Amino acid sequence: MPTKQTVLLVGGTGRTGGRVLQQLLDRGIAVRAIVRSGAKLPPGVAGNPNLTVVEASLLSLRDEELQQHLRGCDAVISCLGHVISLKGIFGSPRDLVTRATTRLCRGVEALQPPAPVKFILMSSVSVNRPSGLDTRRGAFERAFLWALCGVLPPAKDNQRAADFLQASVGPSHRFVEWAAVRPDSLLEGDVSDYELHEGLVSSLFAPDSTNMANVAHFMCELVTNPHTWAEWQGKLPVIINAAAAKR
Ligand SMILES: NC(=O)c1ccc[n+]([C@@H]2O[C@H](COP(=O)([O-])OP(=O)(O)OC[C@H]3O[C@@H](n4cnc5c(N)ncnc54)[C@H](OP(=O)(O)O)[C@@H]3O)[C@@H](O)[C@H]2O)c1
């Protein structure tokens, strides 16, 4: 019998994170969820023997506390996002996703686990791969995105978190492997057929759509299916609903 996998989840009270939590538990995976308020977790998960809830502000945890929660985890999933309000977008912490990503990866590194831990980040199609690999953006779209990152802290934050994974963790870290999942416009709805692409598919001005349930499904596959992980680790897969694909 293989041993049960354990995932540390942050952002589990969010729209996508809640679905990730539910689907992980449905697959019998043990989950440690660090949340600001356990009362905001999805209904029905309370009391699940595979769920451990840590009520804490992630960025306020001391390094040793964070490492204690990371110890023994096979994977870490971050579905953090800036709350959509004036305070959430322009208030502190403007670098929520970058700081959380950095702290979680450095925490894993400090533990020196016997096998690399998977770090899975909820990113966005507004995030670019480096070195012009995402070639589908035109000059106007690039200028728009540049302005967006300047004006909206969350856009800049998502890009910097992905840049950290690519540049500072890199492709062959001894203790951390990673994938940054890039959904398009998020939708409600059940798990359905979806497509995965290495690069961007649509312009920001003609977006595709992605069910949050599909993001959750793909993240669970990354945790549980070694072939899926081998295909996408170190990459920034774009995920869109098959029904939304226009090609
Ligand atoms: N909206 C879209 O169409 C779209 C498309 C692609 C990608 N994305 C990206 O996807 C990500 C998640 O989106 P979502 O709609 O699922 O998120 P969401 O529902 O807004 O959830 C955000 C999560 O982050 C947590 N959080 C926010 N500020 C925090 C802080 N200071 N400290 C600790 N936790 C904090 C929230 O906790 P609380 O419950 O305690 O507030 C919540 O669990 C975002 O980064 C977004 O940029 C969005």
Side-chain angles (χ1 to χ4, degrees):
M1 275 286 278
T3 52
K4 187 188 283 185
Q5 288 185 296
T6 301
V7 172
L8 180 80
L9 173 66
V10 296
T13 53
R15 297 187 309 153
T16 312
R19 288 166 166 88
V20 172
L21 174 58
Q22 190 68 65
Q23 290 191 31
L24 287 169
L25 293 174
D26 289 347
R27 290 178 187 230
I29 294 168
V31 182
R32 296 176 194 164
I34 301 179
V35 294
R36 294 192 287 192
S37 165
K40 291 175 75 178
L41 285 167
V45 300
N48 187 310
N50 279 339
L51 175 63
T52 306
V53 178
V54 180
E55 276 196 332
S57 173
L58 176 70
L59 298 183
S60 306
L61 287 172
R62 287 183 292 113
D63 287 348
E64 308 78 59
E65 292 173 313
L66 188 57
Q67 284 167 31
Q68 189 189 323
H69 300 311
L70 285 164
R71 192 179 297 278
C73 287
D74 304 283
V76 178
I77 299 180
S78 170
C79 289
L80 290 174
H82 296 256
V83 175
I84 305 300
S85 67
L86 266 183
K87 186 167 175 282
I89 291 173
F90 294 104
S92 172
R94 289 184 165 200
D95 54 356
L96 167 70
V97 181
T98 309
R99 260 166 74 194
T101 300
T102 307
R103 289 203 68 201
L104 288 162
C105 290
R106 295 296 181 225
V108 170
E109 195 174 53
L111 289 171
Q112 304 195 349
V117 170
K118 297 170 181 167
F119 183 86
I120 301 165
L121 176 69
M122 171 107 178
S123 185
S124 164
V125 287
S126 67
V127 166
N128 289 312
R129 288 187 295 167
S131 316
L133 283 171
D134 284 321
T135 51
R136 293 181 73 100
R137 295 196 204 280
F140 181 65
E141 190 179 356
R142 286 202 306 277
F144 176 78
L145 200 56
W146 179 80
L148 200 68
C149 283
V151 175
L152 290 181
K156 186 176 181 182
D157 188 21
N158 281 335
Q159 183 66 55
R160 287 182 60 208
D163 290 347
F164 168 80
L165 290 175
Q166 293 173 104
S168 299
V169 180
S172 49
H173 195 283
R174 207 169 132 205
F175 302 116
V176 184
E177 295 176 348
W178 59 270
V181 177
R182 295 187 289 173
D184 213 310
S185 300
L186 295 175
L187 288 185
E188 305 282 332
D190 296 331
V191 177
S192 60
D193 290 342
Y194 57 84
E195 294 182 5
L196 299 166
H197 299 265
E198 286 208 20
L200 294 170
V201 177
S202 302
S203 146
L204 288 177
F205 303 121
D208 279 311
S209 51
T210 312
N211 284 8
M212 289 176 274
N214 289 340
V215 178
H217 184 272
F218 178 48
M219 287 182 166
C220 290
E221 285 295 304
L222 287 169
V223 171
T224 58
N225 186 331
H227 300 294
T228 307
W229 185 252
E231 185 175 358
W232 293 108
Q233 70 115 339
K235 297 181 180 171
L236 293 86
V238 170
I239 173 170
I240 54 172
N241 292 348
K246 303 178 194 105
R247 295 149 316 283

